[in-house]
Amino acid sequence: MPPFRQEPDPRANTPPPRARSSLWEAVFRRKLIGPATFRSPLRRCLESRDLMALGLAAVLGTGIYITVGLVARQHAGPAVLVSFVVGGLAAFLTSLCQAEFGARLPLAGATYTYIYVTVGELWGFLIGWNTVMELTVALAFVGRTWSSHLDALCGHAVSTYLKTHVATWDLTPLADFPDFCAFGSVLLTVLFVIIGAKISTWISAIFISINFVVIVCVIVSGAFASHLGNWTEAEFAPYGWEGVITGASIAFSCFTGLNVILTSGEETHEANTSLPGSLIMTVVTSLPLYIGVAVILTMLVPWDSIDVTSPLPSAFLSHGRNWRWAWYLTTVGCLSAMMAAQVAILVALSRTVYSLATDGLLFSFCGKVSRTTQVPVVAALLFGGVAAFLSLALDVGSLVQFASMGSLLSYVVLPMCSIISRYQPPLPHEIPHIQYQWVQQQMHEHAYDTEPPRVSSEDFVAEFGPRFRRVGELRSTSRYLECIKNLPAGHVVTTCILSLTIVLVGCSVLVKHAQWEPVTSHWWVFFLLTLLLAAMATILAVIFAHHQNEDIPTFRLRLIPFVPALTLCLNVLLVVHLDGKTWARCAIWIGIGLLLYFGYGFRHSKALTQPHAPLPEEWIRPPRGRLFHREDFVLVEQPPSRIRDDVVLFDRTVRDDVTAMVRDDMLRSIPEDDDDEEERPLLPEGWNRRGKKKNRGEHLERDPVVFYDSNI
């Protein structure tokens, strides 16, 4: 590749304008995405199987060994099967929304970053802060639960020794004794995480493999000891449908571990394909296991006899000494699952803290990355240490009381952002990908021509410029909505999304107030629900009447806005059915987050020094623009998921040979006739038979493409 002459930018020494630091600006100030956004110090070493190992480690942790029994015993009874089906459906639909965002923005902040880019800084920070606090408490909770199961496996010898030779406490918030076993497990997890992302995923894969084998053995062996009378002789839903939906909201929280896949996007090869596939496959793999364990557990013992602290081991132990081997097996599987879950939780926690710190919303030292292992070592050490001390001093009940609903709240906001983002113009870093796909389409359409097509940046702007500018505007065929035609593009859609959320909250509250009785038994409930459903249909029709962004070069969710609206409906229904104490804890964490934001993040945000958001035509203006110069427009610092070093601008001395090679490569993919014995032309030196450059990284291998520019 010939070297390019880098012309000095006269604006390089000009300090960027400083944005107004008002409260209104803070609420709606959004993060700009440019080429420098994807220059990460984190090591890019993960693949699809690594992401899936982390996802399964987070999803199949305490949930499948503890939460299944908790939901069956206290909320749903044998209908725990329905609870996990509903929760799994909501998780699957949410994973589709996450997949589109993850492919478009493969950054470590995950949901926090998606909300920051789409809605605003304050909303993104509150979601990120709640996620950090929830993950910290969850890490301490899993460590404490791991210690209790290890103590049970050793015949309670560990707890007896600590009570006798160390200390005992008699304070209400604290545990009966300092649990150094839980403290050591969390510190061991910190060690696993700071030695490198690849090693962390290997450790998670080992533990989750053991866990997977144990779960399959539990389902198969439990089928021989199950008793169908535990279902037929008891009421299927003893707490009614309200208990089933409440159990579904708890079951849905088991799938919040999918966030670890998104937070690893900045360390992933080909994130545009790895992230969506890993998210969907994790849900598809884990949901049948949850359903199988729920069915076997409620058939092993009556639902009202389930031991909440240790459901599966105690269920097997109740069938006599012949099943004691199953008790040991499930206990070992539980220990493996919880160790893998600790690693996955700390990976997600450290990457979320790193993203908040690099954006200036948390203390800058929290974003320090090790030059040796290329992981956010300070975030892992600091918050891992906090979780270790919490597991040392607090008992399981106190840790559950400190838990919040940050992840569930983020899963409510995420479908809203999914709809809003589809009615906004493409992000700046997506423009080169759209241009590349357009040129490839032009080359394939003219594959039989004697002369290759000559395409330029001006042709691309002439075709796609009007398409980008009309995104978010009202369609010309919507004659019944002329009254909102002159409103700013995208504002109507945002207002409709907020209105839709309010309507869904009202429907969920009404259904909960009616205690899931037939709506005809309360005429006023039936009347209000009819009005709200009509309003919901009207809002979706207004949203659909606007132009969408159909030019997304990565994974694209179909049936917008209906699939995200269904996801939002299920998630709001599940969140509304959480108890009041959970909402109170969430309000406390939000209050602490507001104090931290206005005390530090409001004044140190990197968004204060970023340039103002460019207009859509400025994103695609050739040959120079605000974010992309002539060299950047073609040889651009692209997001890690689609890095291309072969999208180059050739000079006239070599581009004809490469163009002929591209055309020959495409002709080679066309089926040949048997009578055609024409000899193919030779490939240029340095290229293999598949039209790819030799001796390059595996994630950089792409078919070359030529851009013609009249300025050369």
Side-chain angles (χ1 to χ4, degrees):
M1 181 190 307
F4 295 99
R5 180 172 59 88
Q6 298 292 336
E7 299 179 0
D9 188 358
R11 299 167 297 181
N13 298 325
T14 304
R18 187 173 181 82
R20 293 179 299 166
S21 58
S22 63
L23 177 61
W24 186 260
E25 289 289 335
V27 172
F28 296 102
R29 184 171 56 208
R30 294 187 296 172
K31 179 178 181 177
L32 290 186
I33 302 297
T37 307
F38 300 95
R39 295 170 184 167
S40 174
L42 303 180
R43 184 186 177 191
R44 191 167 309 284
C45 58
L46 302 182
E47 299 176 359
S48 298
R49 57 177 178 269
D50 302 318
L51 296 179
M52 194 170 176
L54 286 174
L56 290 175
V59 173
L60 298 178
T62 57
I64 202 164
Y65 289 98
I66 304 295
T67 308
V68 174
L70 177 67
V71 173
R73 179 66 179 85
Q74 299 181 357
H75 299 283
V80 62
L81 169 66
V82 181
S83 295
F84 274 92
V85 169
V86 175
L89 177 61
F92 177 76
L93 294 175
T94 305
S95 67
L96 295 179
C97 300
Q98 291 175 322
E100 178 175 308
F101 272 116
R104 297 182 68 185
L105 293 171
L107 298 173
T111 308
Y112 146 73
T113 302
Y114 310 151
I115 298 173
Y116 191 0
V117 172
T118 307
V119 180
E121 182 178 277
L122 179 59
W123 313 111
F125 174 79
L126 291 178
I127 293 297
W129 169 254
N130 272 273
T131 302
V132 168
M133 291 296 98
E134 183 178 4
L135 290 176
T136 304
V137 175
L139 180 59
F141 171 77
V142 176
R144 191 81 189 195
T145 309
W146 183 89
S147 173
S148 64
H149 280 78
L150 180 64
D151 184 38
L153 187 64
C154 298
H156 302 284
V158 177
S159 58
T160 303
Y161 178 83
L162 291 175
K163 290 179 181 179
T164 305
H165 297 85
V166 180
T168 56
W169 297 330
D170 193 15
L171 298 177
T172 302
L174 303 180
D176 295 336
F177 60 94
D179 195 344
F180 285 97
C181 194
F183 181 79
S185 70
V186 177
L187 290 184
L188 184 62
T189 303
V190 174
L191 177 63
F192 289 157
V193 171
I194 65 176
I195 58 179
K198 194 69 174 179
I199 299 178
S200 301
T201 57
W202 288 349
I203 295 173
S204 297
I206 293 173
F207 284 118
I208 202 61
S209 299
I210 299 173
N211 182 30
F212 191 85
V213 172
V214 170
I215 293 174
V216 173
C217 293
V218 165
I219 294 175
V220 174
S221 60
F224 293 96
S226 60
H227 179 53
L228 189 59
N230 293 328
W231 273 30
T232 57
E233 298 173 4
E235 188 177 359
F236 184 70
Y239 296 97
W241 286 108
E242 183 179 3
V244 173
I245 299 301
T246 303
S249 64
I250 300 175
F252 179 64
S253 64
C254 297
F255 295 92
T256 57
L258 295 172
N259 199 46
V260 68
I261 298 178
L262 299 173
T263 56
S264 303
E266 203 165 316
E267 303 165 85
T268 305
H269 292 305
E270 295 291 337
N272 64 309
T273 56
S274 299
L275 284 176
S278 302
L279 283 167
I280 296 173
M281 287 303 299
T282 300
V283 177
V284 171
T285 304
S286 57
L287 182 57
L289 297 179
Y290 268 105
I291 294 175
V293 170
V295 172
I296 292 301
L297 178 62
T298 51
M299 284 189 175
L300 283 174
V301 292
W303 66 269
D304 54 354
S305 301
I306 295 176
D307 184 7
V308 177
T309 59
S310 182
L312 280 174
S314 60
F316 280 108
L317 201 60
S318 64
H319 283 263
R321 300 183 61 88
N322 293 333
W323 289 92
R324 191 168 182 81
W325 63 270
W327 179 85
Y328 284 108
L329 181 66
T330 52
T331 304
V332 170
C334 188
L335 292 174
S336 301
M338 292 182 183
M339 183 57 69
Q342 289 184 77
V343 175
I345 291 172
L346 188 55
V347 168
L349 174 61
S350 59
R351 272 59 174 180
T352 305
V353 172
Y354 157 78
S355 184
L356 286 165
T358 52
D359 289 336
L361 303 181
L362 275 183
F363 305 105
S364 58
F365 65 86
C366 295
K368 183 176 176 56
V369 177
S370 171
R371 293 185 178 181
T372 304
T373 59
Q374 294 181 279
V375 296
V377 60
V378 174
L381 289 173
L382 179 61
F383 286 85
V386 171
F389 279 104
L390 290 178
S391 65
L392 175 70
L394 300 180
D395 61 354
V396 175
S398 300
L399 291 172
V400 170
Q401 292 179 2
F402 278 104
S404 179
M405 48 177 285
S407 297
L408 295 179
L409 199 60
S410 66
Y411 282 10
V412 171
V413 183
L414 189 65
M416 300 169 58
C417 295
S418 181
I419 299 177
I420 293 174
S421 65
R422 290 297 292 272
Y423 292 91
Q424 294 176 348
L427 298 172
H429 72 277
E430 294 178 328
I431 304 296
H433 306 321
I434 299 173
Q435 188 177 16
Y436 168 75
Q437 293 179 356
W438 174 72
V439 174
Q440 273 201 330
Q441 181 182 0
Q442 297 294 322
M443 299 288 287
H444 281 283
E445 288 179 356
H446 299 83
Y448 292 97
D449 296 350
T450 55
E451 293 293 333
R454 298 178 63 85
V455 294
S456 64
S457 299
E458 287 76 7
D459 298 330
F460 173 77
V461 173
E463 180 175 346
F464 283 83
R467 295 172 59 174
F468 293 163
R469 284 189 290 268
R470 74 186 181 191
V471 172
E473 296 180 352
L474 192 66
R475 300 177 189 267
S476 58
T477 57
S478 305
R479 59 180 181 176
Y480 298 104
L481 301 174
E482 293 291 335
C483 57
I484 61 174
K485 184 176 182 180
N486 297 325
L487 294 178
H491 287 201
V492 176
V493 175
T494 303
T495 305
C496 289
I497 293 300
L498 294 177
S499 303
L500 179 63
T501 306
I502 295 174
V503 169
L504 290 175
V505 171
C507 290
S508 302
V509 171
L510 279 177
V511 171
K512 183 179 180 180
H513 179 75
Q515 298 181 355
W516 288 88
E517 297 179 2
V519 294
T520 55
S521 60
H522 302 281
W523 67 268
W524 59 273
V525 175
F526 177 75
F527 178 72
L528 290 178
L529 279 179
T530 304
L531 290 180
L532 292 176
L533 291 176
M536 188 188 312
T538 304
I539 291 171
L540 290 177
V542 172
I543 295 175
F544 188 73
H546 290 75
H547 287 285
Q548 297 183 22
N549 175 20
E550 301 291 346
D551 300 306
I552 296 180
T554 53
F555 179 84
R556 182 162 61 95
L557 181 61
R558 308 292 178 176
L559 298 177
I560 298 290
F562 304 107
V563 172
L566 178 60
T567 307
L568 181 62
C569 180
L570 286 175
N571 293 353
V572 168
L573 180 65
L574 297 180
V575 170
V576 166
H577 277 75
L578 293 174
D579 58 357
K581 294 182 179 179
T582 305
W583 282 99
R585 291 191 293 266
C586 182
I588 293 174
W589 288 124
I590 289 177
I592 298 174
L594 288 174
L595 293 177
L596 179 61
Y597 174 75
F598 289 108
Y600 181 85
F602 179 72
R603 295 178 290 107
H604 295 83
S605 173
K606 297 293 181 63
L608 291 172
T609 56
Q610 71 181 1
H612 293 287
L615 298 176
E617 56 266 20
E618 290 180 310
W619 292 352
I620 57 177
R621 179 185 298 162
R624 294 192 178 277
R626 183 185 294 272
L627 295 179
F628 296 95
H629 305 302
R630 179 174 64 83
E631 296 85 2
D632 295 327
F633 195 79
V634 179
L635 183 62
V636 68
E637 190 76 25
Q638 297 184 16
S641 60
R642 295 296 293 270
I643 293 180
R644 304 184 51 80
D645 66 344
D646 49 1
V647 181
V648 296
L649 192 63
F650 293 96
D651 57 21
R652 287 191 175 92
T653 59
V654 299
R655 66 184 182 187
D656 292 335
D657 293 337
V658 179
T659 303
M661 184 274 300
V662 175
R663 184 169 177 272
D664 294 337
D665 184 61
M666 288 188 295
L667 288 175
R668 196 170 294 116
S669 62
I670 301 175
E672 300 182 21
D673 297 333
D674 296 336
D675 299 335
D676 187 8
E677 298 181 356
E678 182 181 355
E679 185 177 353
R680 296 172 179 171
L682 296 177
L683 295 174
E685 184 179 358
W687 298 80
N688 59 23
R689 299 294 299 178
R690 298 178 61 190
K692 297 180 180 179
K693 213 169 184 179
K694 294 181 179 179
N695 299 325
R696 296 188 293 136
E698 59 180 1
H699 65 291
L700 300 178
E701 294 187 0
R702 293 288 185 278
D703 296 333
V705 68
V706 179
F707 291 87
Y708 287 97
D709 199 308
S710 59
N711 295 322
I712 294 184

